[in-house]
Amino acid sequence: MRKKINIQKGAVLGAILTTIVAGMLLSVVQVVVKPPLLLGERLLPGGGWVQIVLAAFFGGWLYLQMFDRKRRGVWRRRIWLLFSIVFFSQLFLGIFVDSVFLMSGKLHFPIPGLIPAGVFYRGEVSFMPFLFLVTILLSGGAWCSQLCYFGVWDSLAAGKNGKREVPSSKMRSRMRWTVLFVFIGVASALRGFGVPVIYSTGLAAFAGMVGIMVIGFVSKRRHVAMHCSSYCPAGTLVMYLKHVSPWRLRLNDRCRHCMACTRVCRNGALSKADVLKGRPAINCTLCGDCLAGCGHDALEYHFWGISPILAERLWLGTTLVLFTCFLSIARV
């Protein structure tokens, strides 16, 4: 009984902190950023504060829904899909209704894989790459499991059931680095040779179409999120840059090598070899699906010297604060 009460208190405390922190961050955006970034403020003077209150309480409510590991994966995909729908709906409205629905009033391709290529194409680090790096620092691989408006479609294509046909780690590594260097090389060449924007736009559209085909054909057939884990250059950067973040996921000595976790990992980050090593592969996004799939409580989050349970709750809260801010702000 005491343990159950403590768990309930932990859930409520986490929800309160998530609400407060999300509200504070969005309030800074409301006060500091000019012209207004919050859509509520753009549509109605003072509407930004209403949006902040609603968004903050929504973030806290989500913490309560996702506190239970067994329900977390379902809720994660629900709100991830919600984020994508909201993002692309604003893109549609920005193009066909009013540019107020666009972040800057200027249109660019909503392809996450172009984030690293854009730095080389423009020759400068804009707001989006900066936000991308800060997100990795704060939440590790959460960009690829909850904060990318494109990735949810790859996760849904991989599906919950089916035999996961995961390519070898060596093959996937070659694919990632090849695609990343091709994106960077092409972007640098376009800038260096002063190629007209119309051709650059065509190449960006082609890259996006290839990504969609990877999702629709490869990820769906293999039951593995191949776009995010092997094709997307932004995903590749997340895999390697996330080591600057203190978050880790490890298997403890309660593991019985039953391989249940390998069947639920849609990224293919837990092969038998990974389980025997005691840690997931480099493309682990810290999504936590494996924790719910394990019947031995053998997987746990690590964050510096705090307990695994507290680390898990802190990661959940941090990720939901970021998600709440992304849902409120992110648009093309």
Side-chain angles (χ1 to χ4, degrees), residues 154 157-158 165 167 175 210-227 230:
D154 201 28
E165 301 176 18
M175 292 168 61
V210 172
I212 292 173
M213 287 190 290
V214 170
I215 293 173
F217 296 101
V218 184
S219 298
K220 190 173 183 62
R221 182 173 63 83
R222 288 182 171 270
H223 299 285
V224 177
M226 292 295 293
H227 172 274
S230 301

Side-chain angles (χ1 to χ4, degrees), residues 60-77:
W61 179 78
L62 285 178
Y63 188 95
L64 292 175
Q65 306 310 309
M66 297 177 68
F67 187 80
D68 183 355
R69 292 179 179 178
K70 299 298 182 182
R71 298 191 299 166
R72 189 175 304 164
V74 174
W75 275 102
R76 180 175 63 84
R77 276 178 282 277

Side-chain angles (χ1 to χ4, degrees), residues 166-178 240:
V166 184
S168 68
S169 58
K170 183 178 293 187
M171 179 182 295
R172 297 179 89 181
S173 179
R174 288 175 179 172
M175 292 168 61
R176 294 168 191 145
W177 288 109
T178 298
Y240 294 94

Side-chain angles (χ1 to χ4, degrees), residues 29-298:
V29 172
Q30 168 77 348
V31 173
V32 174
V33 180
K34 304 296 179 185
L37 191 56
L38 293 174
L39 187 60
E41 190 66 29
R42 290 185 178 189
L43 297 176
L44 179 69
W49 294 109
V50 176
Q51 182 180 350
I52 289 171
V53 172
L54 294 176
F57 277 103
F58 180 62
W61 179 78
L62 285 178
Y63 188 95
L64 292 175
Q65 306 310 309
M66 297 177 68
F67 187 80
D68 183 355
R69 292 179 179 178
K70 299 298 182 182
R71 298 191 299 166
R72 189 175 304 164
V74 174
W75 275 102
R76 180 175 63 84
R77 276 178 282 277
R78 285 176 179 173
I79 64 174
W80 197 8
L81 180 60
L82 170 67
F83 173 46
S84 183
I85 292 173
V86 169
F87 181 91
F88 285 110
S89 295
Q90 289 183 102
L91 173 61
F92 178 86
L93 292 171
I95 295 174
F96 298 104
V97 179
D98 194 318
S99 62
V100 71
F101 292 98
L102 302 176
M103 180 174 286
S104 64
K106 297 179 180 179
L107 190 62
H108 63 269
F109 275 97
I111 303 172
L114 296 180
I115 293 174
V119 174
F120 291 87
Y121 180 70
R122 290 186 296 269
E124 62 180 12
V125 178
S126 60
F127 172 74
M128 195 61 211
F130 174 76
L131 177 64
F132 177 69
L133 293 173
V134 170
T135 300
I136 295 173
L137 177 63
L138 293 177
S139 63
W143 174 277
C144 294
S145 61
Q146 197 161 323
L147 303 176
C148 172
Y149 46 81
F150 216 77
V152 63
W153 306 105
D154 201 28
S155 178
L156 292 175
K160 179 180 180 180
N161 301 312
K163 182 181 179 181
R164 306 199 185 278
E165 301 176 18
V166 184
S168 68
S169 58
K170 183 178 293 187
M171 179 182 295
R172 297 179 89 181
S173 179
R174 288 175 179 172
M175 292 168 61
R176 294 168 191 145
W177 288 109
T178 298
V179 174
L180 176 62
F181 284 124
V182 166
F183 269 62
I184 292 175
V186 171
S188 301
L190 291 173
R191 175 179 174 80
F193 290 104
V195 176
V197 174
I198 185 66
Y199 297 111
S200 303
T201 302
L203 287 171
F206 174 75
M209 290 303 299
V210 172
I212 292 173
M213 287 190 290
V214 170
I215 293 173
F217 296 101
V218 184
S219 298
K220 190 173 183 62
R221 182 173 63 83
R222 288 182 171 270
H223 299 285
V224 177
M226 292 295 293
H227 172 274
C228 297
S229 63
S230 301
Y231 174 77
C232 178
T236 297
L237 289 183
V238 170
M239 292 176 208
Y240 294 94
L241 292 178
K242 71 180 181 182
H243 293 296
V244 304
S245 175
W247 303 103
R248 299 291 184 270
L249 188 67
R250 295 286 185 266
L251 287 95
N252 57 40
D253 56 10
R254 289 189 290 274
C255 179
R256 296 294 179 265
H257 301 153
C258 67
M259 303 301 160
C261 57
T262 66
R263 294 189 287 272
V264 299
C265 181
R266 302 189 187 201
N267 275 345
L270 279 166
S271 66
K272 182 177 181 179
D274 298 319
V275 172
L276 293 176
K277 289 178 183 176
R279 63 179 184 276
I282 195 168
N283 57 304
C284 171
T285 63
L286 300 178
C287 71
D289 286 358
C290 54
L291 276 73
C294 177
H296 307 288
D297 199 22

Side-chain angles (χ1 to χ4, degrees), residues 309-328:
I309 290 296
L310 183 57
E312 180 182 343
R313 295 176 182 179
L314 184 59
W315 185 86
L316 178 62
T318 301
T319 303
L320 287 177
V321 166
L322 289 172
F323 173 82
T324 302
C325 293
F326 273 46
L327 181 63
S328 303

